């Protein structure tokens, strides 16, 4: 009994699972009680480590959890790989970028299916600025003369790669028009640290055209930084060391990028704000007031063009100047130099700037008990070309989920809350469809939305999941209930194993001892951003991958043929994705109490704050030491005197900031979270009058993490805990106002942001206190 009681006083289902595990062990009946105790302990450990406790439906009454489990079993039986394959094949049969004929055809196909499955479905249309190229020229001036082909080669092994009349050519959307000629400078990844290195090497990009490798940041950071440093043009290329022949066989023999493959993509400055550049902060309906294009702050002023490594090689080969640092070198058969010159590049780009329709497909399955509480599930369907992987692999699983849920409802399942499925248009260009829909419906969404669950591409491998940390427990519970098709263990166990084996030393042991997994914080790069970071809706973003690496991203080779050969043969992980996202959706729709766990969020924010304080101490020590090195001329004396190697400039000393307001706020949040968790297990048993008040408060709780003024420089981003980094793009910055102020050495702003974040956290804790009062009957 001691062992059983270790699980708590209200864990009869856990006890039954332990007994069930003993039976499964098929061990002969032990001769004495000592062996019985041992077996009980062993069975308990095995069951817990397997991550399959019977009582893993947080927020459900026990009777409703049993019903939910049965419906989930039926749901699983409906999902078929062939169905997902059919969706992928149809939706990726032709190029379908925003504004194209097949993009609209796909929207109508999705709409028709939703209606057939029993949803109230419609298309919400918006009208966004979109640029397509009408002239692209990249060439060298003088000898040796070279003109870039700027063309991907069709392949007989890839049936859709030759659909040239329907394909968008390779380009960067929202580049400026321009006709520029200048010496070329190689800037590695084109991130802030690379410009610091160039300064030390005595290389300026002012008045030059830069060439940068993809990777290291979101692509739009590269031209923005080039522009900030005075460059007049930017070329971005895919180096074979990253996703070409250096990594493995190239397409079509293998999955990696061949010599003509090019990564298209938007360079709209989404760290400022996503969506239509001409309607910042409000929906771009047909009659919406639009600002002038020249006044849009998230549009670049210099021309930008992506190219293949075949086209890049002659330009890189023509560079002189110093040999680049070792970690700047790529995989081409040449010596990488910085420049500038002697090669001179001529870049000329002209675009059609049009307002095109966006077709967001919205499908609603009303809940019976709480129809005005919405569980929103979304994935985009537009692509740069055919997009079988990005995004159709994710869109196909969403359709499979919606089809299965429709069948469950026809079989008698009653939804507690309303489920809203969304197929977004225009994601690739800058989260256009989702952002405009959120901006146009912000007030209603903040009243009714409980959660937004996002996905994008999906393939073989491991679960990747991030989002609001109040949802971490739910994510772990669902992941423990879905099996990996190749190893037959839960996707939770496989994910944890990958994390443990990807770490080393102390971190490896900590991950191994950690219960479950921690979900990631979200930056940007997909349609979750407006929901979470603009209007404060709790969010999850998920997908599978890691064993599906390749070089097809945003190229003509992201096709049905490529996907079936290298991404998810047999669509096994499409089914796993549908099982995982479907469970998340159904549990959020049917839970008696919205399953938020505030302790997990407190622990996460506390870790972020502690990390910032430690980083500040490290920065202070490093600054002091680096300034000593500069003052005592160590950099100069250790450098090769025959080469340019300027020492870094000394930096101002790092002051001691006052974090007491933040620390006090975290102490309040810790106490409030603890008080709520003490009552949470019994909450589902409360009468409906209590549950209705509680769920309304919980549904709105994430909004308490918004700051009214938004982030410095970019007020569209209002979430105080998560945002994309200003110089990382997709990469997240946690406690972003404070962290980025410190990184920018703006100590006054950092102190202001510390107070703002503390006030947000205190307000959030007050909302939790209200939930506690409700549970106590107050």
């Amino acid at each position: 009994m001691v062992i059983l009681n270790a699980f708590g006083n209200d864990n009869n289902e856990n006890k039954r699972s332990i007994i069930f595990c003993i039976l499964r062990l098929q061990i002969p009946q032990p001769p004495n009680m000592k062996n019985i105790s041992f077996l009980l302990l062993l069975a308990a450990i095995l069951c817990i480590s397997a991550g399959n406790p019977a009582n893993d439906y947080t927020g459900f009454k026990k009777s409703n959890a049993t019903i939910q489990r049965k419906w989930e079993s039926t749901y699983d039986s409906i999902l078929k790989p062939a169905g997902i394959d059919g969706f992928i094949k149809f939706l990726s049969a032709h190029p379908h970028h925003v504004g194209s004929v097949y993009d609209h055809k796909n929207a109508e196909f999705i709409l028709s299916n939703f209606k057939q499955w029993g949803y109230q479905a419609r298309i919400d249309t918006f009208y966004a600025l979109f640029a397509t190229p009408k002239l692209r020229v990249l060439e060298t001036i003088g000898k040796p003369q070279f003109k870039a082909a700027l063309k991907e080669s069709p392949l007989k092994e890839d049936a859709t790669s030759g659909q040239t009349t329907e394909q968008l050519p390779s380009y960067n959307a929202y580049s400026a028009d321009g006709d520029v000629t200048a010496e070329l400078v190689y800037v590695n990844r084109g991130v802030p640290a690379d410009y610091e290195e160039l300064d030390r090497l005595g290389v300026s990009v002012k008045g030059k055209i830069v060439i940068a490798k993809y990777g290291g940041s979101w692509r739009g950071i590269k031209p923005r930084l080039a522009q900030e440093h005075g460059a007049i043009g930017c070329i971005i290329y895919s180096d074979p060391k990253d996703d070409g022949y250096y990594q493995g066989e190239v397409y079509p023999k293998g999955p990696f990028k061949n010599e003509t493959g090019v990564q298209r993509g938007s360079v709209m400055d989404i760290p400022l704000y996503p969506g239509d550049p001409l309607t910042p902060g409000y929906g771009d309906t047909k009659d919406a007031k639009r600002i002038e294009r020249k006044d849009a702050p998230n549009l670049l002023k210099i021309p930008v063009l992506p190219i293949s490594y075949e086209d890049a090689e002659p330009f890189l080969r023509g560079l002189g100047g110093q040999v680049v640092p070792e970690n700047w070198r790529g995989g081409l058969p040449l010596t990488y130099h910085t420049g500038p010159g002697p090669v001179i590049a001529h870049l000329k780009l002209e675009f059609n700037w049009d307002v095109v329709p966006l077709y967001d497909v919205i499908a609603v399955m009303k809940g019976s008990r709480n129809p005005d509480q919405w569980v929103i599930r979304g994935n985009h369907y537009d692509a740069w070309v055919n997009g079988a992987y990005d995004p159709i692999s994710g869109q196909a699983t969403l359709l499979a989920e919606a089809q299965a849920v429709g069948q469950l409802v026809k079989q008698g399942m009653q939804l507690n809350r309303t489920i809203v499925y969304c197929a977004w248009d225009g994601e690739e260009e800058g989260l256009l469809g989702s952002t405009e829909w959120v901006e146009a419906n912000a007030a209603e969404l903040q009243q009714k939305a409980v959660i937004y669950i996002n996905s994008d591409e999906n393939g073989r491998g491991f679960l990747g999941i991030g989002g609001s940390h109040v949802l971490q427990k739910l994510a772990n519970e669902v992941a423990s209930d879905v099996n990996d098709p190749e190893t037959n263990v839960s996707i939770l166990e496989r994910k944890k194993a990958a994390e443990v084996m990807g770490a080393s030393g102390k971190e490896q042991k900590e991950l191994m001892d950690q219960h479950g997994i921690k979900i990631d914080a979200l930056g940007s790069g997909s349609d979750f951003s407006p929901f979470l970071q603009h209007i404060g809706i709790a969010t999850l973003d998920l997908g599978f991958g890691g064993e599906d690496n390749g070089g097809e991203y945003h190229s003509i080779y992201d096709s049905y043929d490529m996907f079936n050969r290298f991404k998810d043969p047999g669509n096994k992980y499409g089914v796993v994705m549908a099982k995982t996202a479907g469970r998340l959706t159904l549990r959020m729709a049917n839970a008696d109490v919205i399953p938020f766990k505030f302790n997990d969020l407190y622990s996460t924010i506390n870790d972020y704050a502690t990390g910032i304080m430690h980083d500040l101490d490290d920065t202070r020590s490093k600054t002091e030491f680096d300034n000593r090195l500069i003052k005592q001329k160590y950099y100069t004396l250790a450098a090769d005197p025959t080469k340019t190697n300027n020492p870094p400039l000394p930096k101002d000393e790092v002051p001691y900031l006052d974090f007491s307001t933040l620390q006090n706020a975290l102490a309040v949040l810790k106490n409030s979270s603890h008080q709520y968790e003490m009552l949470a297990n019994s909450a589902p048993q409360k009468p409906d009058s209590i549950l209705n008040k509680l769920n309304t408060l919980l549904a709105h709780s994430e909004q308490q993490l918004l700051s009214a003024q938004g982030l410095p420089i970019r007020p569209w981003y209002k979430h105080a805990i998560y945002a994309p980094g200003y110089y990382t793009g997709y990469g997240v910055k946690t406690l972003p106002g404070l962290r980025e102020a410190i990184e920018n050495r703006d100590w006054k702003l950092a102190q202001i942001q510390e107070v703002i974040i503390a006030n947000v956290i205190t307000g959030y804790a007050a909302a939790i206190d209200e939930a506690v009062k409700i549970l106590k009957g107050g």
Side-chain angles (χ1 to χ4, degrees):
M1 287 301 296
V2 172
I3 295 170
L4 293 178
N5 285 337
F7 295 96
N9 297 322
D10 189 25
N11 261 311
N12 288 328
E13 291 192 13
N14 274 340
K15 295 173 187 177
R16 285 195 293 273
S17 72
I18 292 168
I19 294 168
F20 176 67
C21 280
I22 293 173
L23 295 175
R24 290 182 64 187
L25 288 173
Q26 298 182 346
I27 296 174
Q29 185 172 349
N32 56 54
M33 288 300 296
K34 183 176 180 180
N35 287 339
I36 290 174
S37 297
F38 170 75
L39 288 173
L40 283 171
L41 178 61
L42 176 62
I45 293 169
L46 288 172
C47 289
I48 292 170
S49 66
N52 287 307
N55 188 24
D56 59 356
Y57 283 68
T58 297
F60 283 83
K61 296 176 183 176
K62 291 182 179 179
S63 58
N64 289 343
T66 300
I67 295 169
Q68 179 75 10
R69 187 177 299 110
K70 290 178 181 177
W71 282 121
E72 288 178 6
S73 179
T74 304
Y75 170 85
D76 286 353
S77 69
I78 297 169
L79 300 170
K80 304 296 181 188
I84 294 173
D85 180 73
F87 292 136
I88 295 174
K89 191 170 187 177
F90 181 89
L91 293 169
S92 67
H94 293 271
H96 52 281
H97 57 273
V98 64
S100 67
V101 172
Y102 208 78
D103 184 62
H104 192 198
K105 185 174 181 178
N106 277 350
E108 294 291 346
F109 172 81
I110 294 167
L111 176 68
S112 174
N113 276 291
F114 279 139
K115 288 181 175 179
Q116 180 183 333
W117 300 331
Y119 292 82
Q120 298 174 15
R122 67 183 191 272
I123 291 178
D124 287 352
T125 306
F126 297 93
Y127 300 86
L129 180 70
F130 179 49
T132 54
K134 59 182 180 181
L135 178 66
R136 300 171 304 140
V137 176
L138 178 62
E139 59 191 356
T140 60
I141 299 297
K143 295 182 179 180
Q145 196 165 17
F146 172 76
K147 187 171 185 177
L150 307 180
K151 181 178 174 58
E152 294 170 299
S153 299
L155 300 169
K156 66 179 185 300
E157 298 89 345
D158 191 306
T160 59
S161 64
Q163 296 171 328
T164 53
T165 59
E166 301 174 73
Q167 295 166 354
L168 280 175
S170 53
Y171 80 113
N172 286 132
Y174 304 108
S175 158
D177 296 89
D179 185 353
V180 294
T181 301
E183 291 180 312
L184 197 65
V185 176
Y186 174 60
V187 295
N188 190 32
R189 305 286 186 186
V191 298
D194 296 327
Y195 284 94
E196 291 177 10
E197 184 68 29
L198 286 171
D199 285 343
R200 292 197 59 196
L201 297 175
V203 178
S204 170
V205 303
K206 189 173 183 179
K208 307 294 194 293
I209 296 172
V210 304
I211 182 167
K213 292 186 293 190
Y214 267 116
S217 72
W218 169 65
R219 76 183 73 80
I221 300 299
K222 303 171 191 297
R224 192 226 286 164
L225 270 168
Q227 179 177 292
E228 289 177 2
H229 284 82
I232 61 173
C234 178
I235 302 163
I236 312 175
Y237 82 100
S238 299
D239 196 279
K241 190 171 184 178
D242 296 323
D243 61 357
Y245 53 73
Y246 190 92
Q247 298 297 327
E249 297 287 356
V250 302
Y251 195 64
K253 186 175 182 180
F256 293 98
K257 186 177 267 96
N258 64 35
E259 64 276 10
T260 68
V262 183
Q263 181 192 139
R264 294 156 182 78
S266 174
V267 291
M268 180 200 298
D269 200 355
I270 60 172
L272 280 180
Y273 63 91
D276 188 342
L278 306 186
T279 60
Y282 55 95
D284 61 358
T285 54
K286 197 165 192 176
D287 299 325
K289 184 178 180 181
R290 289 167 168 78
I291 63 175
E292 294 292 325
R293 177 158 56 94
K294 64 180 176 57
D295 298 326
N298 65 347
L299 294 183
L300 291 165
K301 307 300 183 186
I302 65 172
V304 191
L305 184 69
I307 62 174
S308 67
Y309 57 80
E310 181 179 70
D311 278 344
E313 184 171 348
F315 289 93
L316 293 168
R317 195 176 291 281
L319 285 171
Q322 294 197 48
V323 175
V324 302
E326 186 174 352
N327 61 350
W328 285 33
R329 299 168 193 171
L332 289 169
L334 55 88
T335 301
Y336 286 70
H337 292 264
T338 61
V343 65
I344 295 176
H346 172 224
L347 173 63
K348 184 176 183 180
L349 301 176
E350 294 179 7
F351 297 94
N352 295 305
W353 294 88
D354 301 311
V355 172
V356 300
L358 307 171
Y359 304 109
D360 288 341
V361 189
I362 311 297
V364 179
M365 186 69 76
K366 283 217 172 234
S368 58
R369 230 173 112 195
N370 294 290
D372 285 339
Q373 291 180 357
W374 295 355
V375 175
I376 306 174
R377 169 79 176 94
N379 199 107
H380 75 101
Y381 67 90
D382 68 291
W384 281 111
V385 196
N386 297 78
Y389 176 59
D390 178 15
I392 298 304
S393 60
Q395 182 63 49
T397 62
L398 180 146
L399 293 175
E401 295 163 36
Q403 184 179 26
V405 169
Q407 289 191 37
L408 294 184
V409 171
K410 288 176 182 177
Q411 293 175 29
M413 181 186 73
Q414 287 196 336
L415 294 172
N416 179 352
R417 299 179 181 86
T418 294
I419 296 177
V420 183
Y421 284 101
C422 304
W424 306 118
D425 200 1
E427 187 269 359
E428 296 292 3
E429 291 71 26
L431 318 184
L432 300 181
S434 57
T435 297
E436 300 312 317
W437 193 77
V438 167
E439 290 176 344
N441 298 285
E444 186 175 20
L445 288 168
Q446 288 187 314
Q447 278 296 112
K448 297 178 179 179
V450 175
I451 187 174
Y452 175 67
I453 301 170
N454 188 69
S455 58
D456 207 311
E457 66 273 358
N458 189 69
R460 280 185 64 237
F462 307 94
L463 172 67
I465 187 164
S468 307
H469 283 82
V470 288
L471 294 162
Q472 185 165 279
K473 189 172 191 298
L474 173 65
N476 275 267
E477 288 176 353
V478 166
S480 73
D481 283 347
V482 178
N483 266 17
D484 178 83
E486 295 185 334
T487 61
N488 203 31
V489 300
S490 75
I491 59 174
L492 178 67
E493 290 175 271
R494 191 146 196 255
K495 169 69 171 177
K496 182 170 182 177
E499 289 183 346
V500 170
M501 297 311 296
S504 59
K506 182 182 177 182
E507 183 187 9
Q508 188 174 47
K509 185 179 185 304
E510 289 174 351
L511 287 169
M512 193 171 181
D513 294 341
Q514 172 184 291
H515 179 70
I517 59 170
K518 293 182 179 179
I519 65 174
D520 297 326
L522 294 178
S524 187
S526 196
D527 293 302
F528 56 79
S529 192
F531 288 93
L532 177 64
Q533 294 151 350
H534 188 58
I535 64 169
I537 306 303
T539 294
L540 284 173
D541 177 65
L542 71 154
F544 288 80
E547 296 175 331
D548 59 351
N549 294 335
E552 79 298 325
Y553 185 58
H554 291 184
S555 74
I556 66 171
Y557 309 119
D558 184 355
S559 64
Y560 178 78
D561 290 329
M562 178 281 308
F563 184 85
N564 273 347
R565 290 180 61 197
F566 299 114
K567 289 297 181 182
D568 185 16
N571 290 290
K572 293 178 182 178
Y573 282 88
V575 172
V576 171
M577 175 64 184
K579 288 181 178 180
T580 308
R583 274 173 171 74
L584 291 168
T585 302
L586 288 170
R587 291 192 194 181
M588 286 299 298
N590 288 335
D592 297 284
V593 175
I594 295 171
F596 290 169
K597 303 294 285 186
F598 297 112
N599 278 343
D600 287 336
L601 180 63
Y602 158 73
S603 298
T604 301
I605 298 176
N606 189 62
D607 287 346
Y608 295 157
T610 301
I612 285 175
M613 288 184 266
H614 287 165
D615 289 347
L616 184 64
D617 289 340
D618 290 344
T619 301
R620 183 181 302 107
S621 298
K622 187 176 188 306
T623 298
E624 291 172 356
F625 186 70
D626 284 349
N627 285 346
R628 284 179 59 199
L629 292 176
I630 296 165
K631 185 177 181 179
Q632 297 177 29
K633 299 186 178 180
Y634 278 90
Y635 282 101
T636 303
L637 295 174
D640 185 340
T642 66
K643 298 178 181 178
T644 302
N645 202 327
N646 299 320
L649 296 174
K651 294 179 178 177
D652 293 338
E653 293 184 358
V654 178
Y656 287 87
L657 299 181
D658 181 2
F659 290 104
S660 61
T661 310
L662 177 57
Q663 290 170 316
N664 289 334
L666 285 167
V668 172
L669 177 59
K670 180 179 182 180
N671 180 65
S672 299
S673 301
H674 178 68
Q675 294 298 320
Y676 179 82
E677 298 302 334
M678 289 177 65
L679 302 171
N681 286 341
S682 61
Q685 316 305 322
K686 298 288 184 180
D688 286 351
S689 59
I690 297 292
L691 292 182
N692 289 339
K693 289 181 183 178
L694 177 63
N695 282 323
T696 299
L697 187 147
L698 293 174
H700 299 158
S701 60
E702 189 83 13
Q703 294 171 42
Q704 300 299 317
L705 293 172
L706 302 180
S707 64
Q709 61 270 63
L711 294 180
I713 304 175
R714 46 202 186 117
W716 187 93
Y717 290 96
K718 299 185 181 299
H719 207 291
I721 311 303
Y722 319 108
Y726 187 66
Y727 285 113
T728 58
Y730 291 171
V732 67
K733 291 291 183 179
T734 55
L735 305 184
L738 175 60
R739 188 181 299 276
E740 292 192 323
I742 290 173
E743 290 174 350
N744 294 332
R745 306 177 80 88
D746 188 337
W747 313 121
K748 183 179 179 180
L749 179 60
Q751 200 66 76
I752 293 170
Q753 288 295 310
E754 186 264 350
V755 174
I756 290 172
I757 293 169
N759 289 339
V760 166
I761 291 170
T762 302
Y764 187 73
I768 299 173
D769 292 340
E770 286 300 312
V772 171
K773 287 181 183 178
I774 292 170
L775 286 174
K776 288 180 175 179

